Amino acid sequence: LEFRRVLFRSSPRILEPAPDWTPEERPTLPGSPAVIAHPTYKKLIYFFIGLFVAISGSLSNGFITANLPLIQGEYSLTPSEAAWIPAAYVMANISSNMILFKARQQYGLRLFSEIGLVLFICVLVLHIFVHTFEMALFVRVISGLVAAPLSSLGMYYIMQAFRRENFGRGIYLALGFQQLGIPLAWIISPSLVDVNDWVVLYTFELGLAICCLAMVVSLKLPRSLRIEVFEKQDFLTFALLAPGFALLCIVLSQGPILWWFEVKWLGYALIAGFSLIIIGLTYEHYRVNPLIITRWLGSASTLKFVFGALAIRLLMSEQSYAAVNFLKTMGMGPDQFVTLYSVIFLGIASGTIFSALTFKRERISWHLVGAVILVLIACALDYHLTSDVRPENFYRSQFIVGFASGMFIGPLLLTGFISVLQKGPTHMVTFVVLFSATQSFGGLIGNSFFSTYQQLRTQNYRAEIVSDLTPTDPLVVQRLALYQQSANKYTIDQALEQNQAYRNLNQIVTREAQVRAYNDVIALNGIFAILLLIWSSFNITWTRYQLKKQQ
């Protein structure tokens, strides 16, 4: 009640008369829908629409992740050019989150989402006819911009199916189910993508956007309290921070491919990105009504949240980088990932439902600790990889990581959300940007770091293996003879046969070096999990000790 009194005493100008809400129906914050007691059938419809919208928001990005090598071949792209496609989505998504909260408060979430969906539909229709790399990048940018309001829209629709006292469960389900888009994209992509007809994939994506638009127009969210919050200075902040975040995304996505110290423009981009962010935050620090509250960003509790959120997202890279990329390196194609991603899909859904069913405010931290323990168990199961490992060998471990992924995201958001509500509604924009940035950059940093580490370890192991392969070793001589014998089926030139034999041996050496390197990646991720577990346990114990001391 005290929070509400502070909220409505300090609120900006109300843009339209508020309905005669009861205290139970009043929105928690301006821009969020009212809490109306719907009949059961309507709650089910709200839940279905929310689930569809939430999954559709991430499914678009999942299609790109699942089909990136094929898209690279379709447009005849280099690996560096192909990396721009998923990076464009992340850059736009982070930028969209910076203006989403205030846009929702001033114009309403539905209007923002419907305009975004209509724009996305127009761009997809254009892309079906204008099939170029530049157009594909533009589509990813619009997709990233639309994904942010779709995520919020899906969450609010799902929350309409719950009473106010069960909103925590609704948030858990909404955020967990949003993660189902990527595994679902891997599951259905082989059935959609035809080597000679990529229009089917874009048409399917277009159909999803049209269905989302039809649903949100047919059954609208309850009204919210609209207030005037935008200031001219907000757009200057956006103009500084958005390109700063975008440059950091570019560096993280291109660094492992072009290599960090080989291309000068990566260094300039990194300097420019950090400079723009520092200038933007400095400008915000001295504003009367800042968009980003820098003083709260520097507090101990916020820094702990940022570290924990980044660290746990980095740990989840065990699935997206270590397991999947290892199988790709071993020659697995999209068709062979369908069953594995079905297992991951079940893992995420199970973890999400488990966390929602066991939801209690005092258990939030234990859900986070449990997710870290599960990742540690998965790392132990995945260690000791060999070149004979196939997708079915990852079923247990990746179900566990999927379960952890579904279990951690809701508690993580709720931990920060509770802290923000205690500070006041003015801190909400800062938290939304912070949460989005930690999750987006956490994933990028994880993939970038592990990719760099894996390449370095591969080179070290390759040099080590080659140094042990002496030409006089009988085993080496026997292996080369076998390779040369298999090569004589295609040529009668003895020199070409010998070159092919050495080439085959070199491929085997590189493959085994990569296997050892991926084992090192998994072991390092396990070490990170142990350190995060120790740090989390210490923080929980210290917090409880402080509470008892105050009593």
Side-chain angles (χ1 to χ4, degrees):
L1 289 176
E2 179 62 27
F3 164 70
R4 286 180 182 170
R5 281 196 293 270
V6 172
L7 169 62
F8 289 100
R9 185 172 66 243
S10 58
S11 290
R13 184 170 66 90
I14 297 176
L15 295 177
E16 61 184 9
D20 188 18
W21 288 311
T22 65
E24 292 76 22
E25 293 175 340
R26 186 177 293 278
T28 307
L29 290 169
S32 59
V35 185
I36 307 298
H38 303 291
T40 303
Y41 79 92
K42 203 168 186 179
K43 287 182 178 180
L44 293 175
I45 296 173
Y46 270 117
F47 186 85
F48 173 77
I49 293 176
L51 182 63
F52 188 90
V53 170
I55 293 177
S56 298
S58 58
L59 194 60
S60 178
N61 186 44
F63 281 134
I64 298 303
T65 305
N67 298 292
L68 190 59
L70 302 177
I71 292 172
Q72 180 181 342
E74 180 199 9
Y75 293 113
S76 302
L77 306 176
T78 64
S80 173
E81 290 172 330
W84 281 92
I85 297 177
Y89 175 91
V90 177
M91 288 186 290
N93 189 251
I94 295 176
S95 301
S96 179
N97 276 297
M98 276 194 287
I99 60 171
L100 171 62
F101 190 79
K102 281 198 170 184
R104 191 173 77 206
Q105 288 185 318
Q106 186 155 332
Y107 302 108
L109 178 61
R110 274 201 315 103
L111 178 64
F112 193 70
S113 305
E114 288 169 12
I115 291 174
L117 279 168
V118 170
L119 179 61
F120 188 40
I121 289 168
C122 294
V123 172
L124 277 172
V125 170
L126 184 61
H127 186 38
I128 290 174
F129 297 101
V130 184
H131 207 53
T132 63
F133 172 59
E134 292 75 18
M135 194 64 199
L137 279 180
F138 185 54
V139 169
R140 287 311 109 203
V141 169
I142 302 300
S143 176
L145 290 173
V146 173
L150 279 185
S151 299
S152 299
L153 201 64
M155 182 176 71
Y156 282 124
Y157 266 94
I158 288 176
M159 287 171 67
Q160 287 298 312
F162 294 86
R163 296 178 180 175
R164 186 186 289 273
E165 59 268 24
N166 291 323
F167 269 8
R169 288 188 169 91
I171 291 173
Y172 277 27
L173 290 174
L175 292 175
F177 288 149
Q178 282 175 15
Q179 300 182 88
L180 295 175
I182 290 180
L184 186 60
W186 281 89
I187 294 168
I188 64 179
S189 283
S191 302
L192 288 176
V193 176
D194 188 335
V195 176
N196 298 316
D197 189 11
W198 278 82
V199 174
V200 175
L201 179 64
Y202 302 124
T203 305
F204 184 82
E205 196 172 358
L206 173 63
L208 285 176
I210 293 173
C211 288
C212 287
L213 181 61
M215 287 180 179
V216 299
V217 169
S218 300
L219 182 62
K220 302 180 186 299
L221 286 169
R223 283 183 59 186
S224 61
L225 188 66
R226 289 178 52 230
I227 57 176
E228 188 177 21
V229 288
F230 270 122
E231 298 180 2
K232 293 179 181 178
Q233 295 93 327
D234 292 336
F235 298 100
L236 177 57
T237 300
F238 181 79
L240 290 169
L241 294 181
F245 287 143
L247 287 169
L248 293 186
C249 291
I250 292 169
V251 171
L252 289 171
S253 61
Q254 295 292 325
I257 300 172
L258 300 176
W259 203 245
W260 306 96
F261 307 112
E262 296 296 324
V263 181
K264 288 184 179 180
W265 69 261
L266 284 176
Y268 295 135
L270 189 63
I271 294 169
F274 274 119
S275 298
L276 287 170
I277 291 172
I278 291 171
I279 293 170
L281 293 179
T282 303
Y283 175 71
E284 285 292 288
H285 188 76
Y286 293 103
R287 276 183 62 185
V288 177
N289 296 311
L291 182 70
I292 307 293
I293 300 176
T294 54
R295 290 172 180 82
W296 182 64
L297 283 178
S299 65
S301 60
T302 306
L303 292 175
K304 283 182 183 179
F305 175 81
V306 170
F307 175 78
L310 282 172
I312 199 166
R313 176 52 71 185
L314 185 143
L315 289 184
M316 296 301 162
S317 300
E318 199 276 345
Q319 185 171 86
S320 61
Y321 181 79
V324 175
N325 274 19
F326 170 79
L327 291 171
K328 287 181 181 178
T329 304
M330 294 299 107
M332 304 293 106
D335 293 346
Q336 294 163 291
F337 283 110
V338 172
T339 309
L340 175 62
Y341 271 98
S342 299
V343 171
I344 294 172
F345 183 94
L346 291 175
I348 295 173
S350 302
T352 300
I353 294 170
F354 172 81
S355 65
L357 291 175
T358 58
F359 167 75
K360 277 189 179 180
R361 182 168 175 173
E362 57 270 19
R363 291 178 184 165
I364 291 176
S365 56
W366 292 114
H367 280 165
L368 295 172
V369 171
V372 176
I373 293 173
L374 289 176
V375 173
L376 182 59
I377 294 171
C379 289
L381 290 173
D382 284 344
Y383 193 59
H384 306 303
L385 296 174
T386 68
S387 56
D388 295 326
V389 167
R390 292 297 177 263
E392 53 267 24
N393 301 113
F394 283 104
Y395 287 169
R396 286 186 304 166
S397 64
Q398 296 315 301
F399 178 86
I400 290 172
V401 177
F403 193 96
S405 183
M407 191 169 71
F408 95 92
I409 189 70
L412 182 65
L413 175 70
L414 215 55
T415 301
F417 189 73
I418 292 170
S419 174
V420 169
L421 284 181
Q422 294 170 351
K423 296 290 182 182
T426 55
H427 290 64
M428 190 57 68
V429 177
T430 309
F431 172 70
V432 169
V433 173
L434 191 65
F435 182 79
S436 170
T438 55
Q439 296 309 289
S440 298
F441 281 117
L444 282 174
I445 291 170
N447 285 334
S448 180
F449 173 78
F450 286 130
S451 177
T452 302
Y453 182 71
Q454 188 267 336
Q455 290 180 61
L456 289 172
R457 297 305 297 160
T458 297
Q459 294 303 317
N460 290 339
Y461 280 127
R462 193 178 182 286
E464 183 181 318
I465 294 171
V466 169
S467 66
D468 292 335
L469 295 178
T470 56
T472 57
D473 189 332
L475 291 176
V476 175
V477 173
Q478 184 183 14
R479 180 62 65 92
L480 287 172
L482 287 173
Y483 291 150
Q484 190 168 347
Q485 185 178 356
S486 63
N488 65 21
K489 299 176 184 177
Y490 309 103
T491 180
I492 57 174
D493 190 324
Q494 192 168 2
L496 288 177
E497 291 176 8
Q498 193 171 11
N499 287 338
Q500 185 61 42
Y502 278 109
R503 192 177 295 113
N504 289 345
L505 182 62
N506 183 61
Q507 290 175 350
I508 299 298
V509 168
T510 302
R511 186 192 68 187
E512 294 305 315
Q514 288 175 327
V515 169
R516 293 188 187 183
Y518 275 106
N519 273 316
D520 285 356
V521 167
I522 293 171
L524 183 62
N525 201 45
I527 293 171
F528 288 160
I530 292 171
L531 294 175
L532 183 58
L533 182 60
I534 294 171
W535 180 78
S536 302
S537 302
F538 173 78
N539 275 309
I540 292 171
T541 305
W542 179 254
T543 302
R544 293 196 168 190
Y545 170 76
Q546 291 292 100
L547 289 174
K548 285 184 179 180
K549 194 175 178 181
Q550 290 174 4
Q551 293 173 357

